[in-house]
Amino acid sequence: MIYYLKMINWPRGRKFTVCLTHDVDEIRKTYQYMTRSVRFLKCGNIRGLKNEILSLFEKLRGREPYWTFEEIMDLERRLGVRSTFFFLNESAKVKIFDRSTWRHYGRRYDITDKKVAEIIRTLHSEGWEIGLHGSFYSYKNIKLLKKEKEMLEKVLGAEVKGIRQHNLNLEIPQTWQIHEKLGFEYDSTLGFNDRVGFRWGICYPFHPVDGEGRPLKLLEIPLAIEDIALFRYDNPWAVCMKMIEEVERKGGVLTVLWHHSVFNELEFPGWAEIYEKLIRVCKEKGAWITTAGEIAKWWKKNERRIEYSE
């Protein structure tokens, strides 16, 4: 069941809202050259294998395939929109003989590195929002998450108000309680990473409750479309349109996640194109397209006038 609002007046009379987000998992390509090449070999994807080789040559020539911030900024400037970037500060241990931990190595970048810090501050100064992408085990470790939040705020030079946990790790209600204790205003972790849809059957922000049923001050902005899950479908654009039409009909929020690395057209052909198409279609439909932080700010200011129904 999907809940909807009896009455809601989005800013400037918009019909529904689109929340644009990017999780910054990796800023450099490492072990993926091996794992992706092996996967393409196994399934006989010669084009994919060829692109991996071309990508390696690009890297050897000095062009990092997973550094796509400028491309995203140029695209969103042209479309007249801004988005939220959730930056990761991974510290999980890597074991060379445990393949399941390799992901942590690729995601262990230093947010205090000069180049990374500069892009964080540039994004912030030009209207994009910076949020925290909680590391793999931080969803149940308040000390670790506190350290990550403070480090990102030091780099940014401003308060970090939003979070999404890496891998969408979520222990309910403990993770939300941790987020509230650390002063986050909103979370956007509730969603699927293996399919597209509404995990709790809701396309609106809401306040989670604690273990005793009391509403938290923290606002949850549910995730509806994650790129990796989307492109497992035979017709990704048809899935997007179905989701857009459903949220438009309910007057809700369509939260989308496009990892920043997939704006690398060589390895992810068509992914950026569908992101752009989604934004253009939603603009034509009269959507308010903005950051997670702006949605949270507006919702908290106006939620007393919002009524729910079924």
Side-chain angles (χ1 to χ4, degrees):
M1 179 182 295
I2 297 178
Y3 291 90
Y4 66 95
L5 302 176
K6 287 184 178 179
M7 55 185 298
I8 184 169
N9 295 304
W10 291 111
R12 299 183 296 279
R14 301 299 186 179
K15 297 179 180 179
F16 65 105
T17 296
V18 178
C19 178
L20 302 178
T21 70
H22 311 288
D23 289 356
V24 184
D25 289 350
E26 306 123 326
I27 61 169
R28 65 185 185 283
K29 189 173 180 180
T30 54
Y31 71 92
Q32 296 94 341
Y33 283 111
M34 181 169 62
T35 55
R36 288 172 62 86
S37 295
V38 169
R39 184 165 73 249
F40 290 141
L41 275 172
K42 285 183 177 180
C43 66
N45 187 339
I46 304 303
R47 180 185 178 187
L49 180 61
K50 178 183 176 182
N51 287 345
E52 286 300 307
I53 295 171
L54 292 174
S55 174
L56 180 58
F57 285 146
E58 287 284 310
K59 188 179 181 77
L60 293 174
R61 284 199 290 262
R63 184 180 182 276
E64 174 53 57
Y66 285 178
W67 188 273
T68 60
F69 298 104
E70 288 80 7
E71 288 88 340
I72 298 171
M73 293 168 73
D74 288 344
L75 171 61
E76 293 183 355
R77 282 194 194 100
R78 285 192 286 104
L79 296 172
V81 298
R82 292 294 186 268
S83 58
T84 299
F85 285 81
F86 294 104
F87 277 84
L88 180 67
N89 187 5
E90 188 57 73
S91 59
K93 293 182 180 180
V94 178
K95 300 177 182 178
I96 192 169
F97 296 112
D98 184 353
R99 183 178 172 181
S100 67
T101 69
W102 291 5
R103 63 165 77 183
H104 304 319
Y105 174 74
R107 292 156 175 78
R108 290 183 71 167
Y109 60 89
D110 183 4
I111 63 170
T112 67
D113 175 81
K114 182 179 179 181
K115 186 177 181 182
V116 179
E118 284 180 353
I119 196 64
I120 288 174
R121 288 192 284 265
T122 297
L123 285 163
H124 175 67
S125 67
E126 296 190 24
W128 281 270
E129 183 195 10
I130 303 299
L132 179 63
H133 201 29
S135 65
F136 197 82
Y137 297 107
S138 69
Y139 70 100
K140 54 183 179 181
N141 188 329
I142 191 169
K143 289 183 179 179
L144 177 60
L145 192 61
K146 182 175 185 291
K147 180 180 178 181
E148 293 172 8
K149 183 175 186 285
E150 290 174 348
M151 186 176 294
L152 181 57
E153 289 177 335
K154 184 176 181 181
V155 170
L156 181 62
E159 183 182 3
V160 172
K161 298 182 178 180
I163 182 169
R164 173 180 290 140
Q165 286 290 341
H166 183 44
N167 201 50
L168 303 186
N169 292 332
L170 188 60
E171 188 170 302
I172 299 171
Q174 289 82 1
T175 302
W176 284 327
Q177 290 174 301
I178 288 173
H179 291 174
E180 180 171 272
K181 287 178 181 177
L182 292 179
F184 288 105
E185 293 190 3
Y186 75 86
D187 169 80
S188 188
T189 303
L190 186 71
F192 297 116
N193 52 21
D194 62 349
R195 75 199 82 166
V196 168
F198 309 103
R199 183 171 166 184
W200 278 10
I202 186 169
C203 62
Y204 308 104
F206 66 93
H207 290 280
V209 297
D210 63 17
E212 297 180 359
R214 289 190 295 262
L216 300 173
K217 293 180 180 179
L218 181 80
L219 190 70
E220 178 65 28
I221 304 177
L223 173 64
I225 301 177
E226 187 207 48
D227 52 1
I228 296 172
L230 174 68
F231 283 90
R232 291 181 180 138
Y233 291 85
D234 292 334
N235 190 337
W237 178 245
V239 175
C240 279
M241 278 303 304
K242 183 178 179 181
M243 295 292 288
I244 291 169
E245 290 168 356
E246 180 72 4
V247 174
E248 180 187 21
R249 187 167 68 252
K250 302 297 183 182
V253 178
L254 179 67
T255 304
V256 302
L257 159 58
W258 253 251
H259 290 82
H260 88 290
S261 55
V262 306
F263 288 82
N264 165 16
E265 182 64 22
L266 177 63
E267 297 181 53
F268 301 92
W271 291 39
E273 180 183 354
I274 286 189
Y275 178 77
E276 179 176 357
K277 189 174 181 181
L278 182 150
I279 294 172
R280 290 189 182 279
V281 167
C282 289
K283 288 187 74 172
E284 291 172 0
K285 287 178 171 289
W288 180 36
I289 305 174
T290 188
T291 67
E294 285 298 309
I295 292 170
K297 180 180 177 181
W298 182 90
W299 190 271
K300 288 189 173 184
K301 182 179 179 181
N302 293 275
E303 61 187 339
R304 290 185 178 180
R305 295 181 292 166
I306 296 171
E307 299 180 40
Y308 293 90
S309 186
E310 296 182 1

